Amino acid sequence: MTDLNLLNEKHPTENLWTSGAVAPEQFAALKDAGVKHVINLRPRAEQGEFDEAATAASCGMAYANLPIAGPHELTLANVKAFDKLLAETGGGNTVVHCASNNRVGALFALRAAWLQGANADDALAIGRAHGLLAMEPAVAALLDQGPA
C-alpha cells in the first residue's frame, strides 16, 4: 500500500501519507487501503459544503481538524497540537492533508526542529519530504527566530 492517488501525495513513512485536499469520492478508497486516521489542516472556509468529518466517520476513520490558514498560524501552540494529533494515531495508517500539502510540510518541519531537536537544515528536509514548497521561506525564517 504505497500510492493512494491523492493530490500532491507524499509517503514519507510506512504508515503516513501527506497530501493536498482529499475529495469526497476518495474516502472509500482510503478505507479500502487501510487508512484509520485523517488529519485535516484546512480552515472551515476552505472546505466548502463537504462535511469531511462525517464522511471520514462513515468510513470508520478517526478525524481531526486543526485549521492552519497560513504562515501566521505556524505557532508553537499549533505545532504542539499537531504533535498531539499525530501521537493519538498510535502510528496507525494516517493521511494528513491541507489544500496543497504545503502547510503539512511546514508543520512537520517545525515539529522536527521545535519539538524533536532537529537542526534547521534537517528540519527543512523533513518538511520537503512531507510536502513543504512555497512556505519554505516562511518556515526557514521561523526556524531562525525560534518558536513564538
Side-chain angles (χ1 to χ4, degrees):
M1 165 169 76
T2 57
D3 186 8
L4 299 177
N5 297 311
L6 301 172
L7 176 68
N8 299 328
E9 179 180 321
K10 301 280 187 180
H11 186 57
T13 63
E14 182 180 349
N15 297 325
L16 178 70
W17 293 262
T18 65
S19 73
V22 180
E25 61 275 7
Q26 291 179 298
F27 277 82
L30 295 183
K31 176 184 176 181
D32 292 345
V35 171
K36 302 291 184 199
H37 309 272
V38 175
I39 300 172
N40 177 4
L41 301 180
R42 295 182 306 158
R44 185 71 197 127
E46 290 182 23
Q47 299 181 49
E49 298 297 316
F50 174 41
D51 187 346
E52 187 169 317
T55 302
S58 73
C59 291
M61 294 178 227
Y63 175 84
N65 180 227
L66 176 64
I68 305 294
H72 65 284
E73 292 188 338
L74 296 174
T75 64
L76 180 58
N78 280 335
V79 172
K80 286 180 177 180
F82 179 63
D83 185 62
K84 182 179 181 209
L85 290 174
L86 290 172
E88 289 171 358
T89 70
N93 291 340
T94 302
V95 170
V96 182
H97 77 88
C98 58
S100 67
N101 204 11
N102 196 33
R103 287 170 278 184
V104 175
L107 282 177
F108 271 102
L110 295 172
R111 175 179 174 253
W114 294 349
L115 304 183
Q116 299 172 329
N119 66 44
D121 289 338
D122 290 345
L124 287 171
I126 289 166
R128 283 184 221 106
H130 289 79
L132 179 64
L133 290 169
M135 290 179 82
E136 186 168 336
V139 171
L142 287 168
L143 292 173
D144 284 344
Q145 75 184 34

